[in-house]
Amino acid sequence: MLHPRFVDLFCTRLVFWGMVGVDMGDDPSSEVYRTAMWAQNNNPATSRHMVVPPGEVIGKVYAAQIEEKVASLRKIFAASPALADYEPLEAIPEDASELRRADYHGHPPRRVSKAEFIDQLVPATIIAGLLGPKTLANALMMSFFGGLNIGPLSTAEERATPQCPPPGFDFPFGDDDKLRLVILESLRLAPAVYETVFLLPEESSVADYAGFGAKRVPPGRPPML
């Protein structure tokens, strides 16, 4: 029987090899292996450190430990086959109209250096590349381990509906279309990424804001979806 830890290792190997061409190897003591497995560990403090200034949410000592791992991850990405010859575009392609717009702060588009690109790639890898697929894989795998536990604040409907393929479920391996439906339904019931924040590029509005009627939201605000 597969062990839940298999999901962590498999997804981490898949993301590092498929995205940047880095082979973690088999030595748990190596820097690449240790850093990659740290990145997939889904520590909430690490995710918060990615999106807020250091020290505002977590202690300075813990922030320093996280930044040490982040620095190691930057080094691995910088030397990876996928980014070894990275060069920013000399000009933005004419057909990439979305890239030609000013950013959310009104700054005109510009070339991004390799270091800046890696700075953006690190949190994307930790929060989206590893956390999202691994959460989905764990939800699917839980059918082999008695099902997926749900929180104490769940609704009666949620408690009555399996949050993942139920124990004993006959996965339609070999039928990609049916397997895709199983995955999509699992994502609907237990979203791997259940919330996201972005900055509005332009003004928006909602018809009824929390029961207080219509509300206009100015550009630059960070709504949570």
Side-chain angles (χ1 to χ4, degrees):
M1 178 178 289
L2 294 176
H3 191 277
R5 185 65 173 170
F6 166 81
V7 173
D8 298 345
L9 185 57
F10 176 80
C11 287
T12 306
R13 286 191 184 280
L14 182 65
V15 167
F16 272 76
W17 176 255
M19 188 174 70
V20 292
V22 170
D23 184 358
M24 291 170 50
D26 298 317
D27 181 6
S29 66
S30 72
E31 181 180 6
V32 174
Y33 191 103
R34 286 186 290 107
T35 302
M37 293 306 291
W38 167 85
Q40 65 80 40
N41 197 34
N42 187 21
N43 188 316
T46 301
S47 296
R48 290 195 296 267
H49 179 72
M50 297 290 101
V51 296
V52 299
E56 286 194 8
V57 178
I58 51 180
K60 292 184 178 180
V61 173
Y62 199 22
Q65 294 173 348
I66 292 175
E67 191 54 41
E68 181 181 349
K69 292 291 188 181
V70 168
S72 179
L73 196 54
R74 289 193 190 103
K75 184 174 71 173
I76 291 169
F77 284 165
S80 69
L83 298 177
D85 299 320
Y86 175 91
E87 290 291 342
L89 295 173
E90 288 296 329
I92 297 175
E94 290 294 333
D95 59 350
S97 58
E98 287 298 309
L99 297 179
R100 304 185 71 84
R101 297 192 313 173
D103 67 15
Y104 298 134
H105 302 291
H107 303 145
R110 63 180 178 83
R111 293 183 295 171
V112 178
S113 69
K114 180 176 179 177
E116 289 175 310
F117 178 74
I118 291 174
D119 282 344
Q120 297 175 44
L121 183 60
V122 165
T125 299
I126 292 175
I127 299 173
L130 289 169
L131 178 56
K134 194 182 75 169
T135 303
L136 170 60
N138 273 310
L140 293 169
M141 288 287 294
M142 283 302 105
S143 64
F144 296 101
F145 302 99
L148 190 67
N149 292 327
I150 57 177
L153 299 181
S154 58
T155 65
E157 180 183 3
E158 289 172 332
R159 290 191 293 272
T161 304
Q163 299 299 295
C164 70
F169 180 78
D170 184 16
F171 282 88
F173 295 118
D175 188 329
D176 289 348
D177 290 336
K178 288 184 178 180
L179 191 58
R180 178 174 180 271
L181 292 177
V182 171
I183 293 173
L184 290 176
E185 179 66 0
S186 297
L187 276 171
R188 185 185 73 82
L189 291 170
V193 180
Y194 49 84
E195 63 184 27
T196 185
V197 177
F198 73 107
L199 299 180
L200 283 177
E202 55 194 30
E203 183 178 292
S204 185
S205 63
V206 290
D208 186 6
Y209 180 75
F212 293 101
K215 182 176 179 63
R216 296 167 59 190
V217 185
R221 285 293 183 89
M224 176 175 287
L225 302 178

